[in-house]
Amino acid sequence: MKNKIILSGILFLGLMVGCQESDLEKLNPNGVTVDTFYKNGAELSSAVNGTYALSKANSLTAREWFFLHDLRSDDVSAGGGQLETPRNQLLIGSYTTDNGVSGSVWQGFYRLIHRANATLDLSEKVSDIPAAEKARLLAEVRFLRAWAYFDLVTMWGGVPLYKNYVTSVEGSLPRSPEKEVYDFIIADLKAAQEALPTTYNADNLGRATKGAAQMLLARVYLQQADYTNAKTELQKIITSGVYGLVDEYTDNFLEETEFNKESIFEINFFPAGGNYNWDADGNGATAGTETVRTQEYSAIGWRNLIPSNSLLNEFEKTATGRDPRFAKSFYVTGDKYNSDKNTLTDEAQNGNASMVDGRTMKVSWRKFSLMYKTDQSYLTGGINQRIMRYAETLLAMAEVENELGNSAEAVKYLNMVRARKSVNMPPYPTAAYPVSNKDQVFNAIVHERRVELSGEQIRNRDLLRWRKAGKLKAEPFTYFQKGKHEFLPIPQQEVDNNPKIEPTDQNPGY
């Protein structure tokens, strides 16, 4: 059942940088302010919920976040001419410092960080709740702050590192080196692990757990090629006994099977009758209720992005047919949908066709689409955004073991993922993927991560770290310019408004 945490008591804790004096004069002197808040445990809990709410805002996981990750990966292509210009610029590498998608995500993460910092710094006044409960609430906020900084540092490199609540523009900071940002993330996640529970009751699903902090920390170490420490965190998850693979692969992307045993962390949405909240901060009565994902990608929706040809042709064909994850990840013309009441046609799918095995056909995303139970077009909906799941843990452990010289162990973890009951792919080695040496095992890992985790906002980060480590066999983007496209440009709005960042501090090439 959907749980509705993170919806009551939402605060606007944003820093009022750039406000006009006339705007400030309109503030209600009798209203709640940061200075008069955080008096008790209930208000602290509301502040924590407000930080979660921002993670679900239009600027982040409800819309722009998944677009930014996908457009910077080779998992997607344009669905057609309907793809908006700022998104198409990211897809073809022609983006500039004023790109609206990347700017929204940057702003969204820093507003989340601002709320987190206010909660952490001002929580000292709260003393009416048990120490363990207070520690757990603050650990949740540390997790969310670490998640925000991890996305920022991986996509932009060195970024301003706000460790405390900022009260004026004089508190603006310059960019910090990447290592300093990573070190801060690691410290936050280690601290969070100490206070986060292993599980929650049904009324609190969607909150950060110990396993979520461990998996995020493993991602951080992997991104830095620190395989030894990554293994330590992954091993904690594997031996915890909390997680496992669900039998049915598609259960990871449906509304009715959320928070299953494979889920490590997911952003909680729920249906609100099409009442999507367009507020960039997730404020308001409909704060963080729905996501626009199904509308943007569905075959009978806007179909703004479709799976790329390279992704579609990555799925293996065996003697018994194609990898079952193909049909579980994508719709093709002729497929049934809406509880098998409708048949998908070419005409129903707006835009471009794909090339699969030399054949032209229309293919659309099935993952996170409501089409499995409706024939309504352009719906917003309540399918949770899965951020981390156990299959990624196993595949990450395969990569770690391979890098540490334990290739046989790596293959074991790969085959665990392939042995899922509804997938049941032949174990490695296969004719297409021999695993006789470290390099061959790495090729199998790259393949397995791509087909298992396609369209889950992971491929972008994989490419970034493999490129940085010199492990990419070929550059997937024809537009790629070394020394430029490794990172996104610092948004022009940040350069203009932050007195500690000069145009000369911009990432190279922009």
Side-chain angles (χ1 to χ4, degrees):
M1 177 180 292
K2 287 284 185 181
N3 103 73
K4 300 185 181 181
I5 67 165
I6 313 164
L7 292 175
S8 62
I10 302 300
L11 298 174
F12 177 69
L13 299 177
L15 178 62
M16 293 179 291
V17 175
C19 291
Q20 299 297 318
E21 186 175 344
S22 58
D23 295 328
L24 298 179
E25 290 172 353
K26 295 175 185 176
L27 293 176
N28 179 3
N30 299 313
V32 175
T33 67
V34 172
D35 291 336
T36 61
F37 206 69
Y38 301 97
K39 298 187 302 296
N40 52 53
E43 291 182 349
L44 176 61
S45 181
S46 288
V48 174
N49 291 349
T51 308
Y52 276 107
L54 218 158
S55 75
K56 296 147 48 112
N58 181 71
S59 60
L60 292 177
T61 60
R63 192 172 194 242
E64 304 300 3
W65 174 86
F66 62 75
F67 264 120
L68 184 60
H69 274 289
D70 284 347
L71 290 163
R72 289 270 287 164
S73 80
D74 57 349
D75 272 358
V76 299
S77 295
Q82 72 274 15
L83 185 64
E84 298 162 312
T85 297
R87 305 181 198 287
N88 191 59
Q89 289 171 343
L90 285 161
L91 184 65
I92 65 176
S94 66
Y95 48 84
T96 56
T97 61
D98 61 352
N99 184 271
V101 179
S102 62
S104 291
V105 173
W106 171 283
Q107 187 177 68
F109 274 129
Y110 271 109
R111 288 178 172 177
L112 185 154
I113 289 165
H114 186 66
R115 289 189 183 184
N117 286 342
T119 302
L120 289 163
D121 288 357
L122 301 174
S123 64
E124 295 178 0
K125 296 182 288 184
V126 177
S127 59
D128 67 331
I129 59 173
E133 181 181 351
K134 180 177 178 180
R136 188 260 301 169
L137 287 168
L138 298 184
E140 292 178 55
V141 172
R142 288 186 186 279
F143 169 83
L144 292 170
R145 181 171 69 176
W147 173 62
Y149 272 127
F150 181 54
D151 260 32
L152 287 166
V153 74
T154 53
M155 289 194 283
W156 280 275
V159 295
L161 182 58
Y162 295 96
K163 301 178 182 180
N164 299 102
Y165 172 53
V166 179
T167 59
S168 72
V169 72
E170 282 72 30
S172 299
L173 294 176
R175 298 179 69 179
S176 290
E178 283 183 69
K179 185 180 185 308
E180 187 177 336
V181 180
Y182 275 117
D183 287 346
F184 185 71
I185 296 168
I186 291 168
D188 254 357
L189 291 172
K190 285 182 175 180
Q193 284 188 38
E194 296 299 317
L196 288 173
T198 303
T199 60
Y200 289 94
N201 61 29
D203 292 332
N204 286 283
L205 297 177
R207 294 188 181 276
T209 61
K210 191 181 298 290
Q214 291 162 348
M215 189 63 216
L216 183 54
L217 186 51
R219 281 183 172 182
V220 171
Y221 285 133
L222 266 178
Q223 211 68 19
Q224 297 180 292
D226 184 348
Y227 304 112
T228 299
N229 279 320
K231 180 176 179 178
T232 298
E233 300 305 317
L234 295 167
Q235 195 66 45
K236 293 176 185 177
I237 301 168
I238 292 169
T239 59
S240 70
V242 174
Y243 306 101
L245 299 176
V246 294
D247 288 343
E248 177 49 60
Y249 180 72
T250 55
D251 282 353
N252 293 300
F253 318 108
L254 305 180
E255 190 172 14
E256 293 78 8
T257 50
E258 294 162 347
F259 301 117
N260 59 48
K261 67 178 181 179
E262 191 162 340
S263 174
I264 296 177
F265 183 64
E266 55 190 81
I267 302 293
N268 191 15
F269 294 99
F270 58 89
N275 190 19
Y276 180 71
N277 180 22
W278 289 95
D279 185 79
D281 290 346
N283 295 315
T286 58
T289 53
E290 291 192 328
T291 168
V292 77
R293 173 73 176 263
T294 185
Q295 179 189 92
E296 297 284 3
Y297 285 18
S298 286
I300 58 172
W302 284 113
R303 201 169 173 261
N304 279 319
L305 293 179
I306 60 176
S308 66
N309 288 341
S310 68
L311 172 60
L312 294 172
N313 288 284
E314 185 77 20
F315 288 76
E316 296 162 80
K317 289 189 295 183
T318 69
T320 57
R322 190 182 291 277
D323 185 330
R325 288 171 290 189
F326 183 98
K328 296 174 186 296
S329 300
F330 316 116
Y331 280 113
V332 300
T333 299
D335 281 348
K336 297 290 186 179
Y337 66 100
N338 186 25
S339 302
D340 292 340
K341 297 173 187 174
N342 298 75
T343 301
L344 186 62
T345 64
D346 274 354
E347 293 72 25
Q349 298 177 81
N350 180 37
N352 296 335
S354 303
M355 184 70 68
V356 185
D357 298 330
R359 294 172 51 216
T360 300
M361 62 176 68
K362 285 199 170 181
V363 187
S364 306
W365 285 103
R366 184 188 291 258
K367 284 184 176 180
F368 300 110
S369 171
L370 282 170
M371 283 177 56
Y372 71 94
K373 60 179 180 179
T374 185
D375 62 352
Q376 298 298 302
S377 304
Y378 308 107
L379 286 178
T380 57
I383 298 177
N384 286 1
Q385 177 64 55
R386 277 64 159 187
I387 303 295
M388 296 180 282
R389 58 186 179 93
Y390 188 62
E392 183 194 351
T393 303
L394 298 177
L395 295 176
M397 183 61 97
E399 184 172 352
V400 162
E401 292 284 23
N402 192 49
E403 293 298 331
L404 294 176
N406 307 316
S407 293
E409 281 293 296
V411 173
K412 180 186 78 173
Y413 286 110
L414 290 176
N415 285 334
M416 289 171 65
V417 175
R418 289 167 75 84
R420 186 195 301 269
K421 187 174 292 186
S422 63
V423 174
N424 195 29
M425 284 292 286
Y428 293 114
T430 65
Y433 292 97
V435 287
S436 299
N437 56 53
K438 180 179 178 180
D439 193 54
Q440 289 178 346
V441 173
F442 179 73
N443 289 340
I445 290 167
V446 172
H447 165 75
E448 199 65 29
R449 285 183 68 88
R450 194 172 193 199
V451 298
E452 173 70 24
L453 304 171
S454 67
E456 297 180 47
Q457 295 69 61
I458 291 174
R459 177 71 172 177
N460 168 41
R461 195 174 293 112
D462 283 350
L463 295 177
L464 289 171
R465 63 190 175 84
W466 290 333
R467 182 188 292 120
K468 186 176 181 179
K471 293 181 176 296
L472 284 183
K473 299 298 188 294
E475 175 54 54
F477 303 117
T478 56
Y479 68 74
F480 184 79
Q481 298 177 40
K482 188 175 181 180
K484 176 180 180 179
H485 289 116
E486 290 88 350
F487 293 119
L488 291 165
I490 302 299
Q492 190 61 45
Q493 184 178 17
E494 181 73 19
V495 177
D496 292 342
N497 294 340
N498 186 335
K500 299 295 179 65
I501 294 182
E502 301 294 334
T504 52
D505 297 320
Q506 181 59 268
N507 279 329
Y510 303 103

